[in-house]
Amino acid sequence: MASSIILTLLKFYSSKQRTPVIEFGEFVDYLKRYAQHHTDENPELVVYTNGSNDSLQEELSKLVSERHISMLTQGGKQFIAVINYFMERYTETYAEMERNFSLPFPNMNDLPKHVPADIADRQQASDIIFKLLDENFHPDDKTLYCILFSKGIPGVLLPSTVSGITLVNICLKKLQDLLRKGDAHDYFQKKITGANPGKEISIKNFFTSFMAKPEETWLMLRSNGDSFYYWNQLCYFIKQDCTKMKDFNAEDINVLQTVGIIEVAASFYKNKASEKLLKDAAFKALDEQLLHPPYYFTMDDIMKFKDANGNLLVTKYTESDLKDHLEYMTSQTVGAELPTLLSFKINDMQTYLILKEKVMPLIVRLCNDARELIRESLAKSWYKYMLDYEILPEMKEQPAFERCLERELKVCSPILYGILTSSFLPVLSYDDKTPGKIPLYRDGLLIPYSELLLLRRTEIYSSARIKLPFWYTIPVFSWIVAAIKRKSKEQRRRDSEKSATEKVLEDEKNKAAAKQTELDAKDGADPKKARKKELRHAAANVESQIVPGNSTIDRELDSYMQEWNDRISKQAHDDLVEDINTLIRDYTRKTLRSLKTENLTRDRVASLAEALVDTPSLMKVKNHPALKRYIELYMVKLIKNLP
């Protein structure tokens, strides 16, 4: 608090004396008199009433470290240079310069000789102007910058209270004033035209816009295209003419400082335009990847998207830019339509994003996948229950069967369940104009799961019952055994709530793990087969990354096969699958000869699949994203099952 009082008194005293440099002894006397008169108002001033310098020196040291003042010694006397004096003075200078831009810039030569050079923060023009023009840079209000140029050009003094935009605007007005003098306009236009033959019209338009529309000059500097090149050309030729002089006068210095600042500003906005082009290209690549399988992505998945060269897209934009882009896609609407990107949750926890155009096709695919799995799972599960003479409610009652299907769907396809229970689906289903679309709602409610999955309770029950031994159909005998072995009502209720799908998936995964263990055991300690063993484990690691936890690699292969294989006849369908599988096997066999185990990663598999899917032999397949995913999965399966 004391240092703030001292700074206030220093500012007041320097302003009163109209000098930025105060003799230390004079200020000590002034401070003593002021403290004696204002001790009652401010008790902190008591320490200065006796004229002691110890407390004052301590406070002045703090102000020096905070760059409020600068201390210097001259002729055996100590002086205090008040930086705020220059800040206020040069702030007024720039305000006046905005009205009368013919005034020269304040520079280092304007400082009194006895003022120390370190009173200004000296930085190269390219460094400080880049900072000042950056929207994220917030300078303090107590720094006096010195913008340094090449040798022979005095540095421009700029208080931090003047923004970079204000500085560049003043320079643009100065440049306009320069081109209005004599034949300077025509002279420089001819020089740039001579250096760029064939661009006469665009150069003429550049000069015309610059001179005729001063209010748009700032926008011209920030625009992309050829304007950046013309700005640099204009600044170059002006500097070239000025530097021919052996001795610079005040006007030459002012011109060189002006074009130097404009040149740096043009370079800044050129870099910004280049960054924007890269960012736009990265977001375009991101939008394209949202069209690829699996079509639904978490924020973490999107953060891992890569460009064609294998570089992370997130390196070309900030995480904040990504969030703004996704927020725009999930909120921007046209009329009453839904936004382009939709979001849904699973178990009220994990949020997924999916393009609107991919929702209905994904529902169809996931329904097909879930139907086969649930039918198989329920048939196996019901058969086991009936072997124990148990009859579950869902076997006989349709409402219980619908609840059973919902329970199974949550387990086998949480993504599908999340979409079906999302808030956007009713609107999307109503607006869907796809030929042969599936009516998902009836009387404002989602159709029963049995209709959605095309599953009939009686068919599943019959397929499970027909496998039972014949004596289960003998009425009296089966009734007596059932009465003996039947579980309690509470136990039957708990059994009915268990997921049959979960058990089937677990069995399939256990079989796959047992097969890999068997292959590893056959290899034993044979060093010749060690590489195959490592490849199998690397492939299993890749499988865990690309196959959802609630599915298996075989089920994913079948699912994506239905997407890219649109052959109607069974023979044509099977022939196409066999041809492509053979092609993948041959390609994988050749690749494995030189593939190192440590290089078998998810990215490597994706790049191999990308290279194969772009070959001429596969160009006739329409759905390349689904085919690429299929190739990735099939390659992983082949490597994982290496004999």
Side-chain angles (χ1 to χ4, degrees):
M1 180 64 73
S3 57
S4 63
I5 297 173
I6 299 300
L7 179 60
T8 301
L9 294 176
L10 282 169
K11 292 178 181 178
F12 176 77
Y13 190 72
S14 65
S15 176
K16 181 180 178 182
Q17 299 296 323
R18 297 184 178 181
T19 177
V21 181
I22 306 170
E23 200 272 319
F24 180 77
E26 293 180 3
F27 180 71
V28 170
D29 293 339
Y30 168 75
L31 179 60
K32 179 180 178 181
R33 294 194 304 273
Y34 182 88
Q36 291 172 347
H37 284 82
H38 296 87
T39 303
D40 295 338
E41 302 172 13
N42 193 341
E44 292 184 6
L45 294 173
V46 173
V47 294
Y48 306 115
T49 54
N50 57 4
S52 174
N53 295 341
D54 294 338
S55 299
L56 178 59
Q57 288 285 7
E58 183 179 346
E59 299 301 331
L60 291 178
S61 298
K62 292 181 182 178
L63 294 175
V64 170
S65 63
E66 295 172 0
R67 295 191 62 82
H68 287 294
I69 64 172
S70 180
M71 303 294 294
L72 62 150
T73 303
Q74 189 175 12
K77 292 185 177 181
Q78 196 173 15
F79 294 88
I80 306 170
V82 183
I83 298 177
N84 184 75
Y85 180 91
F86 296 102
M87 296 288 291
E88 293 180 353
R89 174 183 170 184
Y90 293 135
T91 299
E92 293 175 359
T93 301
Y94 278 94
E96 187 176 354
M97 203 181 299
E98 287 187 272
R99 298 185 294 270
N100 181 12
F101 39 82
S102 60
L103 293 174
F105 287 111
N107 56 61
M108 291 297 291
N109 297 337
D110 297 336
L111 292 175
K113 293 182 179 180
H114 54 281
V115 173
D118 63 354
I119 201 170
D121 183 4
R122 303 160 67 91
Q123 296 188 38
Q124 291 295 324
S126 57
D127 296 332
I128 183 57
I129 294 176
F130 268 50
K131 288 181 183 177
L132 294 175
L133 293 178
D134 190 345
E135 297 177 353
N136 298 322
F137 179 67
H138 303 289
D140 55 43
D141 57 355
K142 59 188 179 183
T143 304
L144 180 64
Y145 296 110
C146 177
I147 304 175
L148 301 177
F149 302 96
S150 58
K151 293 181 179 179
I153 305 176
V156 169
L157 294 173
L158 179 74
S160 56
T161 50
V162 178
S163 68
I165 295 177
T166 300
L167 174 66
V168 176
N169 267 324
I170 291 172
C171 291
L172 291 172
K173 291 178 181 178
K174 286 177 175 289
L175 185 56
Q176 285 175 333
D177 186 52
L178 170 65
L179 295 179
R180 290 192 183 99
K181 294 178 180 178
D183 60 350
H185 176 280
D186 295 336
Y187 171 74
F188 287 112
Q189 182 175 332
K190 287 179 180 178
K191 293 197 74 169
I192 297 178
T193 303
N196 301 276
K199 295 187 176 182
E200 293 82 1
I201 296 177
S202 60
I203 293 172
K204 182 179 179 181
N205 291 337
F206 169 76
F207 274 88
T208 301
S209 299
F210 180 46
M211 300 303 296
K213 302 176 182 178
E215 68 281 357
E216 297 181 8
T217 302
W218 178 252
L219 296 177
M220 281 183 61
L221 186 62
R222 301 183 65 173
S223 65
N224 53 14
D226 293 335
S227 63
F228 292 128
Y229 177 72
Y230 296 148
W231 282 115
N232 285 329
Q233 286 274 290
L234 179 59
C235 292
Y236 170 76
F237 286 123
I238 292 175
K239 287 196 298 182
Q240 188 182 56
D241 279 19
C242 287
T243 51
K244 289 179 181 178
M245 310 292 182
K246 291 184 178 180
D247 296 320
F248 296 149
N249 57 31
E251 185 176 356
D252 294 332
I253 291 174
N254 191 39
V255 169
L256 289 171
Q257 291 171 335
T258 298
V259 296
I261 293 172
I262 292 176
E263 200 171 28
V264 174
S267 178
F268 172 82
Y269 286 113
K270 181 181 179 181
N271 292 344
K272 282 291 183 181
S274 299
E275 290 176 4
K276 187 177 185 303
L277 288 175
L278 289 174
K279 187 184 298 183
D280 291 344
F283 282 132
K284 184 178 180 181
L286 183 148
D287 295 344
E288 289 178 355
Q289 292 200 35
L290 291 173
L291 291 167
H292 293 180
Y295 309 119
Y296 51 89
F297 305 94
T298 64
M299 190 65 178
D300 290 338
D301 295 332
I302 295 174
M303 292 285 287
K304 296 175 183 176
F305 281 177
K306 297 182 179 181
D307 60 15
N309 298 322
N311 300 318
L312 287 172
L313 291 177
V314 75
T315 59
K316 300 178 181 179
Y317 46 71
T318 64
E319 188 172 344
S320 175
D321 292 333
L322 175 60
K323 290 181 179 178
D324 291 342
H325 178 73
L326 295 177
E327 184 178 353
Y328 174 82
M329 293 183 69
T330 54
S331 60
Q332 190 67 18
T333 60
V334 178
E337 294 184 2
L338 289 169
T340 307
L341 193 65
L342 304 172
S343 64
F344 64 94
K345 286 188 176 183
I346 294 180
N347 302 326
D348 296 327
M349 294 176 62
Q350 185 65 62
T351 300
Y352 285 87
L353 298 172
I354 182 172
L355 288 174
K356 177 173 61 176
E357 62 187 278
K358 289 297 181 182
V359 173
M360 299 309 292
L362 182 63
I363 289 177
V364 173
R365 177 173 76 83
L366 293 179
C367 281
N368 290 333
D369 297 345
R371 176 172 58 253
E372 298 300 325
L373 178 57
I374 292 176
R375 178 193 286 132
E376 177 187 349
S377 302
L378 289 180
K380 289 181 179 179
S381 177
W382 288 5
Y383 170 71
K384 291 180 180 179
Y385 279 112
M386 284 189 283
L387 276 178
D388 292 334
Y389 297 93
E390 293 292 336
I391 300 298
L392 300 177
E394 52 262 34
M395 297 178 185
K396 297 294 185 179
E397 303 169 8
Q398 189 63 28
F401 181 64
E402 296 295 341
R403 292 193 296 271
C404 173
L405 291 181
E406 181 179 5
R407 185 170 62 248
E408 298 294 331
L409 194 63
K410 283 183 180 180
V411 174
C412 76
S413 188
I415 296 296
L416 176 59
Y417 185 78
I419 294 176
L420 293 176
T421 55
S422 64
S423 59
F424 62 75
L425 188 60
V427 180
L428 185 63
S429 178
Y430 178 80
D431 294 338
D432 185 24
K433 307 299 180 185
T434 306
K437 70 172 185 176
I438 304 174
L440 296 178
Y441 288 84
R442 186 184 303 129
D443 298 329
L445 298 175
L446 186 70
I447 62 175
Y449 287 102
S450 57
E451 293 185 34
L452 186 67
L453 299 173
L454 301 178
L455 291 174
R456 296 181 61 184
R457 173 179 54 83
T458 54
E459 288 183 358
I460 299 175
Y461 181 74
S462 298
S463 64
R465 195 170 190 275
I466 202 172
K467 298 176 184 178
L468 294 172
F470 75 92
W471 58 81
Y472 279 77
T473 60
I474 302 175
V476 178
F477 178 78
S478 61
W479 181 85
I480 295 174
V481 176
I484 297 173
K485 299 185 65 175
R486 184 170 294 167
K487 299 177 183 178
S488 66
K489 185 176 180 180
E490 179 64 22
Q491 182 62 40
R492 291 200 302 272
R493 185 189 65 79
R494 288 199 298 268
D495 288 346
S496 67
E497 293 178 354
K498 293 180 181 179
S499 171
T501 303
E502 193 172 7
K503 296 176 183 176
V504 170
L505 287 173
E506 187 176 351
D507 290 343
E508 291 183 1
K509 291 181 179 180
N510 289 337
K511 289 179 181 178
K515 184 176 180 180
Q516 188 168 17
T517 303
E518 182 182 352
L519 289 171
D520 291 346
K522 286 182 179 180
D523 292 344
D526 189 347
K528 295 182 179 180
K529 296 183 178 180
R531 180 173 178 271
K532 287 185 178 181
K533 186 175 181 180
E534 292 176 358
L535 284 171
R536 284 198 295 267
H537 285 281
N541 183 48
V542 176
E543 179 189 9
S544 66
Q545 299 177 43
I546 63 178
V547 176
N550 58 331
S551 184
T552 62
I553 194 166
D554 290 324
R555 296 189 182 278
E556 292 297 301
L557 282 168
D558 291 339
S559 176
Y560 285 112
M561 184 199 303
Q562 303 306 321
E563 288 199 52
W564 60 261
N565 194 340
D566 57 356
R567 301 303 186 270
I568 297 176
S569 69
K570 185 178 186 306
Q571 187 62 42
H573 181 281
D574 294 342
D575 290 345
L576 180 59
V577 172
E578 182 56 33
D579 290 343
I580 288 182
N581 286 350
T582 301
L583 184 63
I584 299 172
R585 286 195 295 268
D586 293 341
Y587 180 72
T588 305
R589 191 180 300 112
K590 294 177 182 177
T591 302
L592 287 178
R593 294 172 185 170
S594 58
L595 182 65
K596 295 182 179 180
T597 306
E598 60 271 17
N599 292 339
L600 184 58
T601 62
R602 179 177 182 175
D603 293 338
R604 180 57 174 159
V605 171
S607 64
L608 291 172
E610 185 75 35
L612 181 58
V613 81
D614 289 336
T615 55
S617 56
L618 296 179
M619 291 305 294
K620 292 183 180 180
V621 179
K622 295 179 181 178
N623 194 339
H624 269 214
L627 177 59
K628 177 178 177 291
R629 191 74 166 184
Y630 178 86
I631 294 173
E632 292 177 14
L633 292 164
Y634 196 73
M635 290 178 68
V636 170
K637 181 180 178 181
L638 290 173
I639 299 173
K640 183 184 173 185
N641 295 323
L642 281 173

